[in-house]
Amino acid sequence: MDIKKKDIRALTKVQLRDFFETQGDKAFRGNQVYEWLWNKGAHTFEDMTNLSKETRQMLEDHFVINHIKVDVMQRSSDGTVKNAVRLHDDLIVESVLIPTKTRTTACVSSQVGCSLDCKFCATARLKRMRNLNPDEIYDQVVAIDRESRLYFDRPLSNIVFMGMGEPLMNYNNVLKAIDKITSPEGLGMSPKRIVVSTSGVPKMIKKMADDDVKFKLAVSLHSAIDEVRTSIMPFNATFPLADLREALVYWYEKTKNRITYEYVVWEGINDKRKDVDALVQFCKFAPSKVNIIEYNPIDDGEFQQARSEAIDMYQKVLEDNNITVTIRRSRGKDIDAACGQLANKE
Ligand code: SAH
């Protein structure tokens, strides 16, 4: 690949129009190309059949179209599909299609590897790391939408940013991708069907609230006690719970959008009554609900799913305090497609 050529999909529609004008052509060609790229998903300039041969060649001389490629697709016995997605520089990320009776959810990645260091997550162990571009995020969604139509006869209904990476550490590109996903020129999906999941970067949560975003927010809490949280999510030392709490209150006041706390209960780490009590207190700061997710082991046995008595205790105490709690079972474990298992094993 010629690295001097620019990825054409990094250009906005206005920039494309300007480009054609500087070439002495009509600005509306920019609209045509934009439509090819985003509505019709063209992979080559050759595909753009309403442009002259000369125009297509001219584009070829200036730009590349860096499409992702689904390298390996694995299907789980429970219907979950995992894509290993090859990027233009040969790095790989993973995305997952999770079907239920009524929905198809895409779980997409926002970074190659992750900038954070959660002890229980396989992605944190990857060495290579870069942010994904908006089109690399968008393409993952388009690929899963296609698979959903093919295997389940229906379009994609929901998106969660719970694949590899910390979306708020790649905020601008995630936002651009979501713009494309929700725009009528892209997939036209409602932002209410999109969840951005973060480990909790206070400054960025406030920024999202200021930007008046319409998607939903999930926070991977796992403990409401600083000491415990820092031991399993070391960046909590930099962004302690008091700062997170303040940002979440700010988020709720601005957006009036309820927050979801994701929470894994591990044996001997956060399975005691004091852990539940701290969570109950934390939940009172802003309207919220709790998703207790099953732990998906990542090889070394340092962490273990808590016993069911501990999960039952969480459920009871939360419900007694009028906090909505759901207990989620993992999907796609047999193909390492469950939360925290994405790490390009192949
Ligand atoms: N960085 C973002 C999104 C990616 S992780 C975030 O932290 O929210 C998606 C979810 O999977 C998070 O809630 C994360 O805490 C959880 N997770 C990570 N490793 C896990 C594991 N081994 N088992 C179960 N859940 C895990």
Side-chain angles (χ1 to χ4, degrees):
M1 194 194 70
D2 185 344
I3 47 167
K4 286 184 304 257
K5 291 190 197 172
K6 206 173 162 162
D7 180 4
I8 191 164
R9 294 195 308 160
L11 270 57
T12 61
K13 197 195 271 184
V14 174
Q15 287 169 328
L16 271 174
R17 289 171 58 90
D18 289 349
F19 170 77
F20 275 98
E21 278 189 327
T22 61
Q23 296 293 312
D25 204 334
K26 307 245 168 24
F28 84 85
R29 295 249 179 273
N31 299 24
Q32 288 178 314
V33 171
Y34 193 86
E35 200 183 326
W36 275 113
L37 292 172
W38 296 107
N39 267 57
K40 302 180 187 160
H43 282 221
T44 68
F45 296 112
E46 273 307 295
D47 293 343
M48 304 182 180
T49 46
N50 60 353
L51 303 181
S52 71
K53 214 168 174 335
E54 292 71 36
T55 306
R56 281 182 266 162
Q57 186 58 51
M58 187 272 289
L59 289 172
E60 195 84 56
D61 294 341
H62 284 85
F63 300 106
V64 288
I65 305 177
N66 283 336
H67 257 285
I68 62 158
K69 205 173 132 253
V70 177
D71 247 16
V72 188
M73 205 198 76
Q74 287 172 279
R75 292 191 74 180
S76 157
S77 51
D78 66 18
T80 304
V81 176
K82 180 168 85 170
N83 293 334
V85 170
R86 187 176 294 273
L87 309 171
H88 67 88
D89 51 3
D90 277 339
L91 291 173
I92 303 222
V93 292
E94 293 174 333
S95 25
V96 183
L97 179 166
I98 308 149
T100 65
K101 272 208 187 79
T102 50
R103 299 172 165 196
T104 314
T105 302
C107 174
V108 297
S109 295
S110 56
Q111 298 181 310
V112 180
C114 189
S115 32
L116 301 178
D117 48 6
C118 305
K119 298 289 180 216
F120 47 81
C121 179
T123 306
R125 302 184 174 180
L126 296 177
K127 297 252 155 26
R128 293 297 300 275
M129 158 60 213
R130 78 162 167 85
N131 284 335
L132 294 187
N133 300 324
D135 48 281
E136 290 170 329
I137 298 169
Y138 180 79
D139 284 355
Q140 294 176 62
V141 175
V142 171
I144 291 193
D145 182 45
R146 265 194 213 127
E147 288 167 354
S148 176
R149 288 166 200 267
L150 188 64
Y151 297 122
F152 303 100
D153 247 340
R154 59 188 190 213
L156 179 67
S157 60
N158 297 73
I159 302 174
V160 294
F161 281 80
M162 296 187 189
M164 296 168 137
E166 169 48 51
L168 297 196
M169 294 288 200
N170 185 18
Y171 178 67
N172 287 336
N173 290 351
V174 166
L175 213 60
K176 282 185 191 158
I178 292 178
D179 276 348
K180 214 62 102 187
I181 293 164
T182 52
S183 116
E185 279 165 335
L187 296 177
M189 272 181 78
S190 162
K192 295 201 178 70
R193 294 174 169 275
I194 301 176
V195 179
V196 169
S197 173
T198 175
S199 311
V201 188
K203 193 175 79 189
M204 299 312 296
I205 292 172
K206 284 186 175 169
K207 167 113 180 68
M208 277 199 309
D210 287 337
D211 287 345
D212 198 24
V213 299
K214 301 289 180 226
F215 48 78
K216 295 187 175 161
L217 175 64
V219 175
S220 302
L221 193 60
H222 302 314
S223 174
I225 301 173
D226 267 316
E227 198 191 345
V228 177
R229 196 166 192 259
T230 300
S231 74
I232 53 178
M233 304 169 84
F235 68 89
N236 185 71
T238 321
F239 308 124
L241 287 163
D243 295 0
L244 179 59
R245 183 178 95 191
E246 191 211 327
L248 292 171
V249 169
Y250 186 85
W251 161 271
Y252 184 78
E253 277 169 2
K254 281 235 156 175
T255 66
K256 296 285 174 256
N257 245 325
R258 183 160 86 144
I259 303 148
T260 300
Y261 296 125
E262 292 155 278
Y263 205 101
V264 177
V265 189
W266 289 283
E267 174 132 22
I269 292 179
N270 57 355
D271 58 352
K272 301 284 176 324
R273 179 64 198 237
K274 69 171 181 7
D275 298 294
V276 194
D277 291 341
L279 175 59
V280 167
Q281 285 314 308
F282 199 87
C283 286
K284 289 187 174 157
F285 296 125
S288 50
K289 62 173 181 158
V290 176
N291 272 350
I292 296 199
I293 50 187
E294 205 181 329
Y295 176 56
N296 304 303
I298 54 162
D299 295 341
D300 61 7
E302 188 188 337
F303 289 90
Q304 265 161 41
Q305 166 76 22
R307 283 176 301 162
S308 55
E309 291 84 356
I311 310 284
D312 293 345
M313 171 183 66
Y314 263 91
Q315 182 166 21
K316 180 166 190 314
V317 176
L318 287 165
E319 281 171 353
D320 287 349
N321 282 278
N322 298 317
I323 298 161
T324 308
V325 51
T326 36
I327 316 281
R328 288 211 189 283
R329 286 196 45 81
S330 270
R331 308 282 307 268
K333 270 198 197 179
D334 55 339
I335 54 168
D336 282 329
C339 291
Q341 290 187 313
L342 301 184
N344 314 326
K345 272 208 181 154
E346 283 72 36

